[in-house]
Amino acid sequence: MQWAALAALKEKNQGRSILSLFDTPNRASEFSAQTGDMLFDYSKTNLDAETRDALLALVEAADAPAKCAAMFGGEAINDTEGRAVLHTALRNLDGGPVYVDGFDVMPGIHATLERMRIYANHIRNSDITDVVNIGIGGSDLGPAMAVQALSPYHDGPRCHFVSNVDGAHIADVLRGLEAKTTLVIVASKTFTTIETMTNARTAKAWMQAQGGDASAQFAALSTSEEKTRDFGIPPERVFGFEDWVGGRYSLWGPIGLSLMIAIGPDRFDAFLRGGQEMDRHFQTAQGVGNLPVMLALVGIWHAQVCGYASRAVLPYDQRLARLPDYFQQLEMESNGKAVQMDGTPVDVSSGPIVWGAAGTNGQHAFYQLIHQGTRIVPCEFMIAAEGHEPDLAHHHQLLIANCLAQSEALMRGRSLEEARAKMEAAGLSGDELERQARHRVFTGDRPSTTLAYPRLDPFVLGQIVALYEHRVFVEGVILGINSFDQWGVELGKELATSLQPIIEGHADASEKDGSTAALVGFLHQHQKQEG
């Protein structure tokens, strides 16, 4: 019934422009939310008070507050896998106990974190100059994003990341590194992930061939002491995490070891505290004052009610260039589902396509489509009040101007009359004036949000990541989806395993479909020609 009411509101508001909503006094302040020094402005959307109230009713109807409490309380809300969802516990630095099946998990988390601190300081004070993190998915996207984001705080070894099983990736990363001063971190919970382990074996062979000491220069982020020991990594260099930490939510724990080595344990703690602060805000802030809830509801309005198929994440910060990739996995792996928790079909569209790039680069790439294309793409801008380079403050002022101008242009647009006046001022007339004017029309009325904060530091990055994690959770609860499994990645893995003997020439492709068999034949033919 709530979806029908929202659809009716959409139709009711169809002819109303976003810009017209600013005729109401205090529109910007009434349609924004703040925690500490972080501001989320959603006033440049088509939401009004009535629509917002209807969206908030979805939160209550889905019993989201109780499900939030269940998540933080260690209940097995990932019910398709029978697991708790407790990445929040990894950043619970000074909170109380957290129980799973009657057992307090916090002493173990604190003990692992302390081991990480000791090891990170050991590496930072050693001859190690470079760290290579080998992982994939959440074991790569999170730390790779965060290490780049916090580069002004690096005072440890350089960090590099290998994820793709394509040999080009590890070859390009290892080229130019000195094996004797390189630490390799292998990140795989089970220590069986085929891409990660293939790359790990290649890195080990490289280190041994180049005079490094693989027995001392490898560490593992894994729960399998047996497999890590078989690989040659002793228990004191293995940092494990429990099955209630999903890969795309794992940056806060051992998967963040490369980040801790790069910026130091104290700054890593500040990153955790930023996440913890957002957790507390999420648990306590009410209704329109709750940033994750309002970010989620704006997303629901655009994706499920308005039917906009994608959303663009647009951080105006070059160091957040990997953030759209990170949020792409967070959102699409979490809520890209077709069935609800009870196995019945999702009765509206599920998670949107998430994409984006750092501004201002995107302005010279895809902004043409978001301004004048036939599809509406809700945009999520991010901007800091100041950068890290005081001598380049004029660069940052220009960056802010561009960010705010883009959101204004998306909303305001340019009418045909305005375009005609512009062409007339340029000296055109008649049919040519009309033709050129039509190319310069911007329909406007395109929604965007803006997340603003003082400066990108470890604490703020923690806030941002946790904010989006909780946004995904709220969206999933409203949609009735289990946001914490990912069965969609399994079938391709299974088929790849069955195809590998065929590709290697140990079996034939006769049982495969015609297309796959033909492609195998083509590739085999060209492999032989190259050989």
Side-chain angles (χ1 to χ4, degrees):
M1 191 63 190
Q2 284 91 354
W3 294 115
L6 285 164
L9 284 171
K10 175 194 169 189
E11 293 302 315
K12 175 184 173 183
N13 299 335
Q14 197 72 41
R16 180 190 65 192
S17 71
I18 296 171
L19 188 60
S20 69
L21 294 172
F22 284 86
D23 294 340
T24 302
N26 304 319
R27 165 75 182 176
S29 61
E30 290 177 4
F31 284 78
S32 62
Q34 188 167 350
T35 178
D37 292 328
M38 178 171 284
L39 174 71
F40 173 58
D41 181 323
Y42 58 98
S43 61
K44 292 190 183 76
T45 68
N46 202 29
L47 294 182
D48 59 13
E50 182 183 14
T51 307
R52 185 171 62 184
D53 288 344
L55 287 166
L56 285 166
L58 288 179
V59 178
E60 295 302 320
D63 204 17
K67 289 173 182 174
C68 169
M71 177 176 70
F72 280 93
E75 295 183 29
I77 65 169
N78 177 359
D79 69 350
T80 60
E81 297 180 292
R83 296 175 181 172
V85 175
L86 275 179
H87 51 280
T88 54
L90 299 177
R91 54 195 186 230
N92 182 34
L93 289 183
D94 46 23
V98 177
Y99 294 97
V100 176
D101 297 327
F103 178 76
D104 183 8
V105 301
M106 290 312 304
I109 289 173
H110 288 308
T112 299
L113 183 58
E114 184 58 26
R115 287 183 59 229
M116 289 171 60
R117 292 186 184 111
I118 292 169
Y119 185 68
N121 279 329
H122 166 71
I123 295 299
R124 285 162 58 82
N125 293 321
S126 72
D127 294 330
I128 294 295
T129 59
D130 295 271
V131 175
V132 176
N133 185 93
I134 298 177
I136 198 166
S139 298
D140 168 78
L141 285 168
M145 175 277 294
V147 164
Q148 181 178 352
L150 298 179
S151 60
Y153 299 93
H154 290 196
D155 55 4
R158 296 179 294 268
C159 290
H160 316 269
F161 296 87
V162 174
S163 55
N164 201 329
V165 75
D166 185 342
H169 198 181
I170 192 163
D172 287 349
V173 168
L174 296 182
R175 186 179 297 116
L177 298 187
E178 172 58 57
K180 294 179 181 179
T181 59
T182 296
L183 171 71
V184 176
I185 300 174
V186 184
S188 172
K189 184 183 289 188
T190 62
F191 230 62
T192 59
T193 309
I194 189 167
E195 299 96 334
T196 299
M197 297 317 300
T198 300
N199 281 323
R201 287 188 287 270
T202 297
K204 187 174 183 180
W206 166 80
M207 184 168 286
Q208 291 169 333
Q210 298 298 319
D213 183 359
S215 65
Q217 292 171 239
F218 269 70
L221 314 177
S222 174
T223 59
S224 177
E225 282 195 12
E226 179 183 355
K227 288 184 172 63
T228 54
R229 186 183 291 108
D230 290 344
F231 191 85
I233 303 174
E236 60 268 21
R237 282 187 271 116
V238 176
F239 303 88
F241 49 102
E242 302 295 336
D243 63 6
W244 33 256
V245 178
R248 57 192 175 276
Y249 297 92
S250 60
L251 174 60
W252 311 98
I255 293 298
L257 181 61
S258 57
L259 176 63
M260 182 185 282
I261 291 172
I263 65 175
D266 290 345
R267 291 176 178 139
F268 189 82
D269 281 357
F271 169 69
L272 298 183
R273 290 192 184 281
Q276 182 184 44
E277 189 280 334
M278 187 58 67
D279 291 344
R280 290 171 173 168
H281 169 79
F282 178 48
Q283 291 176 282
T284 59
Q286 298 299 307
V288 297
N290 192 304
L291 268 69
V293 168
M294 295 315 303
L295 182 59
L297 292 181
V298 170
I300 290 285
W301 173 250
H302 289 151
Q304 281 73 41
V305 183
C306 297
Y308 303 144
S310 76
R311 70 168 63 119
V313 176
L314 307 171
Y316 272 65
D317 189 320
Q318 181 59 32
R319 294 185 175 108
L320 287 176
R322 296 296 305 273
L323 194 66
D325 295 340
Y326 180 71
F327 285 162
Q328 185 176 75
Q329 184 201 22
L330 180 65
E331 177 85 33
M332 295 174 71
E333 197 168 79
S334 295
N335 290 344
K337 315 284 174 62
V339 296
Q340 299 181 87
M341 296 281 267
D342 61 5
T344 59
V346 177
D347 54 6
V348 293
S349 60
S350 59
I353 300 162
V354 177
W355 58 287
T360 58
N361 289 353
Q363 293 175 201
H364 297 269
F366 53 80
Y367 277 45
Q368 168 64 47
L369 183 147
I370 65 176
H371 280 292
Q372 289 187 307
T374 57
R375 297 175 178 87
I376 292 180
V377 180
C379 295
E380 299 182 355
F381 295 95
M382 296 181 185
I383 187 68
E386 61 179 9
H388 288 276
E389 293 77 26
D391 55 327
L392 298 176
H394 61 293
H395 283 252
H396 197 77
Q397 297 303 320
L398 182 58
L399 187 74
I400 292 174
N402 272 273
C403 179
L404 300 186
Q406 292 299 324
S407 65
E408 182 182 3
L410 285 166
M411 175 182 67
R412 185 177 297 278
R414 179 191 287 152
S415 69
L416 180 57
E417 291 73 20
E418 290 171 326
R420 285 172 176 150
K422 189 176 181 67
M423 292 299 93
E424 186 175 10
L428 299 184
S429 62
D431 291 345
E432 183 62 10
L433 181 150
E434 187 69 15
R435 184 178 76 87
Q436 291 288 354
R438 290 182 182 277
H439 284 280
R440 289 161 174 78
V441 170
F442 290 70
T443 59
D445 207 33
R446 301 194 174 206
S448 69
T449 63
T450 301
L451 186 71
Y453 41 87
R455 186 167 72 164
L456 184 65
D457 61 19
F459 184 86
V460 166
L461 182 64
Q463 287 181 298
I464 293 172
V465 173
L467 167 64
Y468 272 76
E469 287 179 348
H470 294 320
R471 180 253 194 101
V472 167
F473 169 77
V474 174
E475 289 178 338
V477 167
I478 290 172
L479 296 172
I481 285 172
N482 179 4
S483 300
F484 302 104
D485 61 12
Q486 53 278 332
W487 299 112
V489 306
E490 296 300 320
L491 180 57
K493 287 182 180 180
E494 294 170 8
L495 292 175
T497 300
S498 69
L499 269 166
Q500 190 171 355
I502 298 172
I503 302 301
E504 292 173 346
H506 304 311
D508 63 59
S510 59
E511 294 185 3
K512 290 294 179 181
D513 63 88
S515 171
T516 302
L519 288 167
V520 169
F522 175 87
L523 294 170
H524 275 170
Q525 178 186 2
H526 285 269
Q527 287 171 350
K528 290 175 183 176
Q529 288 177 356
E530 290 177 6

